[in-house]
Amino acid sequence: MTFARRPRRRLLGLASALAVGALLLSGCGAASTAAPADAEPKTGGDLVFLIDSLGATWIPNNSSISSYQGQIWGNVTDKLIYVDAEGNLSPWIAESWDENADKTQFTLHLKSGVTFSDGTPLDAAAVVANIDIWAKGRPDEGINRIGLFPSANYQGAQAVDATTVTVSFSAPTLSFIPTLAYHGSILLSPETLALPADQQADLTKDVGSGPFVVEKVAEGDSVVLTRRDDYDWGPQAVGHEGAAYLDTITYKQVAEPTLRTASVESGQAQVAYNASPQDLDALKQEGLTVETPRYLGFVNGYALNTSVAPFDDIKVRQAVQHGIDRDEILSTVYTSDWHAAESFFQSTVPEATDHTADFAHDPDEAASLLDGAGWVKGADGVRTKDGKKLSLTLYPNPYLQASQSVDELVDQQLTALGFEVNLETYDVPTYGQKVIGNTTVPATEITRSFVDVGTVAGILTSQKKGDEDWFRLGTSDATLNDLSTRIATATDREARAKVADELQGYVLDRAYFVPLTQIVQRVYVQAPEVSGVTYNGLAYASYLNAWLNG
């Protein structure tokens, strides 16, 4: 069974009726025509960005990789390296860098004259303080380390002089330089980093060096940023000199996606984040701009918990892989902007290889696997074994647009195979409390961006303290441990690509991960008056070069 596409609802004026308009008093007029290609950017203007959530915390290390808080962090902080949509690295605060032959020591040469918004220098000492907290965090205080930072072999960073930093590792770490462009690697003042966790959680106390500064925070409601007039060190690749054009950006939390897009349609906001995929074609036809940048990283799929039933049995895991009809998901839930997964890496990752056959839809094979595992269908269609039902609870991921619609389809597909499937739906804060990190959850719908494939070891295994161990294997799978170690410590990119292919094949053969679709996690619907927005390789929107032509 498939779901019918829900009809496009005309919601012009609804935002005002529901009191959103009263809260968006930033001088937004009706949408105007897009600027001509040769139009000169205009300074000034207030942009309103409607977002589904502002998350549960502002502790930088804990929130910078969020699809929500990350939008704000990306405009109030800088990074050492910039990564574009094609994965190309280029200078930012680090003007250049060197590495030794065995890839264990790196030297960063910093741009001079950069300051945080409180006037303190963004110098080598500040960079050392940032790298240390990315690598280590302060877990006893509730400050996480950055999950994809190559912490396992990190020995330390040293300020050689005001603009030179050396960073050392105990083993080859090809992934270090690319990870400096990761959205978790945001630069904050040493004074901010020294604050206890409860004060770091106050966004107004977090000082960055970016093109905007935090003016006001209404917890759970909105964040207002204002232009930093003395900013003049944006990434070379963006091609923008000097301060931003916009006066302010207001990130306003509006939970209902149709209400967000209606506000853009009616001119009360300029950007609606995470519109429903089923509405995108209609929104384009109405003259709005729809941006669906892809990021480098993992596809969207289920990480299966091998430590709990029924996924402690490889045959059941493989049955789920082959029991899911991805073509039905794509044709029912998404638009042509989404594509089927070919591995558990996005196809944009240079080391991604096609392993489609390992998880191709084959309901007969799925049924045979379940039969072979001893699960027998009853009169009600539900399989049982030793008096227990083949049951599974799915938790739609609120960070992923259309996750519930996808899970509802998967529910139908797995029910046809004999699973008893339940869905439990939570908002972002509750999902974080009940699902993320819960070792009893059987299947977690998940994706993750990364800049370099060498960082994935800390996600897939649990060989080092703080590793995420997506599949709850601990250190029990020696082959996975070996592949992860080899990919993390390779010194040659070509050799590492071969290891990456082995790793993909092994994870999928063992059915630790069930790929669904290549991810478009961050969807932006813009009024045509918005020009100059750029998207990096992690698909975040930067407003350094953005301006309003209306």
Side-chain angles (χ1 to χ4, degrees), residues 227-269:
R227 180 180 58 237
R228 183 179 172 186
D229 290 331
D230 64 343
Y231 185 85
D232 192 19
W233 43 82
Q236 290 181 13
V238 173
H240 179 99
E241 296 183 1
Y245 297 120
L246 296 170
D247 289 331
T248 69
I249 308 172
T250 297
Y251 292 88
K252 168 68 180 170
Q253 182 170 304
V254 177
E256 171 56 45
T258 51
L259 185 52
R260 293 195 297 274
T261 55
S263 298
V264 175
E265 289 175 297
S266 61
Q268 297 175 23

Side-chain angles (χ1 to χ4, degrees), residues 73-78 92 115-117 187 207-213 227-228 230-231 233:
W73 285 121
N75 286 288
V76 299
T77 64
D78 295 318
W92 193 347
T115 61
F116 294 102
S117 60
L187 294 165
V207 177
S209 60
F212 293 88
V213 296
R227 180 180 58 237
R228 183 179 172 186
D230 64 343
Y231 185 85
W233 43 82

Side-chain angles (χ1 to χ4, degrees), residues 230-313:
D230 64 343
Y231 185 85
D232 192 19
W233 43 82
Q236 290 181 13
V238 173
H240 179 99
E241 296 183 1
Y245 297 120
L246 296 170
D247 289 331
T248 69
I249 308 172
T250 297
Y251 292 88
K252 168 68 180 170
Q253 182 170 304
V254 177
E256 171 56 45
T258 51
L259 185 52
R260 293 195 297 274
T261 55
S263 298
V264 175
E265 289 175 297
S266 61
Q268 297 175 23
Q270 285 69 47
V271 183
Y273 190 47
N274 285 345
S276 169
Q278 296 168 327
D279 285 346
L280 297 184
D281 287 342
L283 291 165
K284 292 176 185 176
Q285 291 170 9
E286 291 173 15
L288 300 181
T289 301
V290 174
E291 299 286 357
T292 54
R294 302 180 187 281
Y295 62 48
L296 304 159
F298 293 96
V299 301
N300 180 33
Y302 300 113
L304 300 186
N305 185 345
T306 63
S307 71
V308 299
F311 296 137
D312 52 352
D313 186 334

Side-chain angles (χ1 to χ4, degrees), residues 281-511:
D281 287 342
L283 291 165
K284 292 176 185 176
Q285 291 170 9
E286 291 173 15
L288 300 181
T289 301
V290 174
E291 299 286 357
T292 54
R294 302 180 187 281
Y295 62 48
L296 304 159
F298 293 96
V299 301
N300 180 33
Y302 300 113
L304 300 186
N305 185 345
T306 63
S307 71
V308 299
F311 296 137
D312 52 352
D313 186 334
I314 186 173
K315 290 183 177 179
V316 178
R317 300 197 301 268
Q318 290 172 335
V320 172
Q321 279 188 328
H322 292 295
I324 292 177
D325 186 345
R326 294 157 187 85
D327 289 340
E328 184 180 29
I329 292 172
L330 287 167
S331 63
T332 305
V333 178
Y334 295 117
T335 68
S336 59
D337 295 299
W338 279 258
H339 303 291
E342 297 177 354
S343 176
F344 67 92
F345 294 158
Q346 297 266 79
S347 293
T348 51
V349 174
E351 296 84 1
T353 45
D354 192 340
H355 292 267
T356 307
D358 292 333
F359 55 91
H361 180 228
D362 187 341
D364 292 336
E365 174 66 10
S368 177
L369 286 162
L370 292 174
D371 291 340
W375 292 96
V376 179
K377 264 193 179 184
D380 60 355
V382 177
R383 291 178 183 264
T384 60
K385 178 181 178 180
D386 300 329
K388 294 183 179 179
K389 291 183 176 181
L390 182 58
S391 60
L392 167 65
T393 299
L394 296 176
Y395 301 87
N397 188 332
Y399 289 94
L400 303 176
Q401 189 57 253
S403 175
Q404 183 168 343
S405 297
V406 170
D407 284 356
E408 287 170 351
L409 265 181
V410 171
D411 177 350
Q412 295 180 28
Q413 294 168 0
L414 295 185
T415 296
L417 287 174
F419 281 82
E420 180 184 67
V421 183
N422 301 298
L423 264 64
E424 292 189 20
T425 304
Y426 301 118
D427 59 15
V428 168
T430 309
Y431 185 85
Q433 295 165 7
K434 292 182 176 290
V435 180
I436 295 177
N438 185 338
T439 59
T440 67
V441 171
T444 303
E445 187 179 359
I446 198 164
T447 179
R448 179 71 61 80
S449 56
F450 58 75
V451 179
D452 187 80
V453 73
T455 61
V456 303
I459 291 178
L460 304 182
T461 67
S462 183
Q463 298 182 83
K464 302 288 184 179
K465 184 178 180 181
D467 284 354
E468 296 186 36
D469 191 17
W470 271 11
F471 315 126
R472 305 301 175 196
L473 289 161
T475 57
S476 64
D477 189 326
T479 301
L480 183 62
N481 294 342
D482 176 63
L483 289 167
S484 297
T485 299
R486 286 164 58 199
I487 204 169
T489 59
T491 59
D492 176 79
R493 286 177 171 80
E494 186 174 337
R496 189 179 67 170
K498 295 178 181 178
V499 179
D501 178 57
E502 288 183 60
L503 175 66
Q504 292 166 80
Y506 184 75
V507 166
L508 294 168
D509 179 66
R510 298 294 298 172

Side-chain angles (χ1 to χ4, degrees), residues 55-76:
T57 182
W58 287 105
I59 296 173
N61 273 29
N62 301 11
S63 62
S64 56
I65 68 168
S66 165
S67 285
Y68 303 125
Q69 297 101 302
Q71 297 289 346
I72 289 86
W73 285 121
N75 286 288
V76 299

